[in-house]
Amino acid sequence: VDLTPHFTLSVQCRLASSHILPGCPPCDRLHGHTWTVRAFWSFASLDEHGMGANFRDLKDVLRKEVHDRYDHRHLNDLPPFDRVAPTAENLAREVFLLLRERFQPGPRGELVRVEVWEGPEACAAYEE
């Protein structure tokens, strides 16, 4: 267990999309969710303004890379979900990989977790 002090920043967005999970009744029928996607970045130190990162920058990357890509879309039509099941677990991993590739807040911080909520009571998370 890493006991090094750090700061964790999180932002979230909501999006509506549909999917089909073949072979998994009743989810093998077309249905949709209003998903909540949360991303968490960890920071070992703060910048000269006392921030790990600017929330605006974190929200912008989440909006551009997640909301704009998946909102009001049928996930089965979009890569990689045209090849792998668009489960909450696979969506969490895909969002993690997208965000890690598109936004690293410098040497002080890193993306550590993505949660995908299908509703208020069910969540899948991905970490590396």
Side-chain angles (χ1 to χ4, degrees):
V1 176
D2 182 8
L3 299 177
T4 306
H6 63 277
F7 299 89
T8 302
L9 301 183
S10 176
V11 294
Q12 69 182 36
C13 70
R14 292 183 54 143
L15 54 106
S17 61
S18 63
H19 66 164
I20 298 170
L21 302 177
C24 185
C27 299
D28 56 353
R29 295 190 305 258
L30 176 64
H31 65 286
H33 299 282
T34 300
W35 310 86
T36 299
V37 177
R38 281 187 194 129
F40 297 80
W41 284 267
S42 178
F43 294 87
S45 63
L46 304 179
D47 67 13
E48 66 276 7
H49 306 289
M51 296 188 290
N54 190 313
F55 279 124
R56 182 188 63 231
D57 296 337
L58 300 178
K59 289 179 201 174
D60 284 349
V61 73
L62 199 61
R63 179 184 48 79
K64 290 176 189 169
E65 299 302 330
V66 179
H67 183 270
D68 292 356
R69 182 181 309 250
Y70 297 122
D71 188 50
H72 285 80
R73 303 291 303 270
H74 181 61
L75 296 180
N76 298 73
D77 293 341
L78 304 173
F81 306 115
D82 54 349
R83 300 180 313 280
V84 300
T87 61
E89 294 89 340
N90 284 332
L91 183 57
R93 179 179 53 213
E94 182 63 17
V95 168
F96 185 97
L97 297 174
L98 282 168
L99 292 177
R100 184 178 64 188
E101 178 183 321
R102 303 295 198 285
F103 184 80
Q104 283 297 341
R108 295 176 298 103
E110 65 178 335
L111 180 67
V112 293
R113 179 181 177 95
V114 167
E115 295 177 353
V116 172
W117 291 78
E118 282 192 347
E121 300 168 345
C123 169
Y126 184 81
E127 302 174 8
E128 287 187 351

